[in-house]
């Protein structure tokens, strides 16, 4: 939570990514990733010879997901307003919540007063911290964060894994594995809070559709910028849904 309180914005200018969808693998995508609280997110990926392979984003009004080669039976361009999702007017065939991305990047913590359960595995030296949450889609989920029980240094992550399950059925919805991090001192210019933070440099995110199709993103993240302000032009360009995709 101390780290999540400090990081208000996070960008990576150089992301190498492999995308897996429905048994198809798209290696060698180059991308840029930008996040800003509370819900602004954008990641666009392209091949060196062909642009527009994927575009996933969110702002305070809506979210969208475009994948050129989507899982079988899933449209390659999905979008919905947060309000429609919260009120159950639409159902997304592929789950996505910007807060899950923020969680994987270490930008999202646990709300005060939340009923937290802790399991300790002494043999594997890990702690599992879990709690209930209600995403925009409406149905309650259980979020779990897996910590290394021993203090980690260098590029070794203290937080090893996040996963999200349906609280009623225990069906897996999304996972994020953190393989390596970069540690640095960061400060929030608005509040003055500061802390040492650990941001991912190697990670794998997987989103599971109800029919067991999945979208996986394996990423190497470089060129990080923490809490650097976006200009009005950048905000208008980055965090608005595209009117068309190529």
């Amino acid at each position: 939570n101390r780290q999540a309180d400090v990081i208000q914005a996070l960008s990576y200018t150089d992301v190498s990514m492999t995308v897996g969808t429905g048994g198809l693998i798209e290696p060698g995508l180059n991308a840029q990733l930008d996040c800003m609280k509370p819900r602004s997110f954008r990641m666009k990926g392209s091949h060196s010879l062909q642009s527009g392979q994927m575009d996933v984003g969110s702002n305070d009004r809506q979210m969208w997901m475009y994948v050129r080669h989507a899982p079988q039976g899933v449209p390659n361009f999905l979008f919905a307003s947060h309000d429609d999702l919260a009120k159950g007017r639409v159902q997304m065939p592929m789950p996505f919540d910007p807060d899950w991305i923020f969680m994987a990047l270490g930008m999202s913590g646990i709300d005060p007063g939340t009923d937290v359960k802790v399991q300790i595995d002494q043999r594997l030296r890990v702690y599992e911290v879990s709690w209930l949450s209600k995403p925009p889609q409406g149905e309650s989920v259980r979020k779990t964060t897996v910590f290394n029980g021993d203090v980690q240094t260098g590029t070794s992550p203290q937080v090893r894994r996040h996963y999200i399950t349906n609280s009623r059925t225990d069906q897996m919805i999304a996972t994020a594995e953190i393989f390596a991090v970069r540690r640095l001192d960061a400060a929030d210019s608005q509040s003055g809070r500061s802390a040492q933070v650990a941001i991912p440099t190697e990670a794998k995110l997987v989103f599971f559709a109800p029919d067991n199709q999945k979208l996986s993103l394996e990423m190497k993240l470089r060129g990080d910028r923490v809490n650097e302000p976006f200009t009005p032009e950048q905000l208008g360009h980055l965090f608005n849904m595209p009117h068309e995709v190529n």
Side-chain angles (χ1 to χ4, degrees), residues 15 19 77 164 205:
V15 179
V19 179
F77 187 36
I164 299 165
L205 279 62

Side-chain angles (χ1 to χ4, degrees), residues 52-89:
Q53 296 300 303
M54 70 171 300
D55 186 336
V56 182
S58 171
N59 53 36
D60 59 354
R61 304 178 306 279
Q62 60 198 171
M63 58 77 61
W64 64 92
M65 176 183 289
Y66 168 77
V67 180
R68 184 180 291 273
H69 301 295
Q72 184 178 3
V74 176
N76 66 343
F77 187 36
L78 305 168
F79 64 93
S81 73
H82 295 302
D83 185 58
D84 283 345
L85 286 170
K87 294 180 179 178
R89 296 182 184 132

Side-chain angles (χ1 to χ4, degrees), residues 108-208:
S108 175
I110 304 172
D111 292 334
T114 301
D115 183 17
V116 175
K117 295 184 178 180
V118 179
Q119 290 186 323
I120 301 174
D121 189 321
Q122 293 287 8
R123 184 178 64 84
L124 297 178
R125 296 295 300 150
V126 297
Y127 296 83
E128 290 196 0
V129 180
S130 65
W131 65 99
L132 292 177
S133 177
K134 193 169 184 179
Q137 287 83 343
E139 191 164 10
S140 177
V141 301
R142 178 166 292 279
K143 296 180 177 180
T144 301
T145 296
V146 181
F147 294 86
N148 273 306
D150 300 310
V151 174
Q152 303 297 301
T153 59
T155 61
S156 298
Q158 195 71 49
V159 175
R160 295 171 53 171
R161 187 170 185 250
H162 306 276
Y163 59 94
I164 299 165
T165 57
N166 184 301
S167 62
R168 180 175 53 83
T169 65
D170 286 333
Q171 183 177 9
M172 192 67 71
I173 298 173
T175 64
E177 294 184 73
I178 312 302
F179 303 118
V181 299
R182 187 170 93 85
R183 288 180 166 82
L184 67 154
D185 294 323
D188 177 4
S189 59
Q190 294 182 349
S191 68
R193 292 187 298 265
S194 62
Q196 184 181 80
V197 300
I199 56 175
T201 57
E202 293 184 35
K204 180 179 180 179
L205 279 62
V206 182
F207 300 94
F208 297 85

Side-chain angles (χ1 to χ4, degrees), residues 10-54:
L10 177 60
S11 296
Y12 294 92
T13 60
D14 181 9
V15 179
S16 301
M17 182 166 48
T18 298
V19 179
T21 56
L24 300 174
I25 301 295
E26 277 198 76
L29 292 187
N30 301 311
Q32 178 166 332
L33 187 156
D34 296 279
C35 296
M36 185 181 72
K37 290 179 177 177
R39 301 183 103 164
S40 294
F41 168 81
R42 188 76 178 273
M43 184 165 62
K44 297 177 67 176
S46 300
H47 287 307
S48 57
L49 298 178
Q50 187 178 33
S51 63
Q53 296 300 303
M54 70 171 300

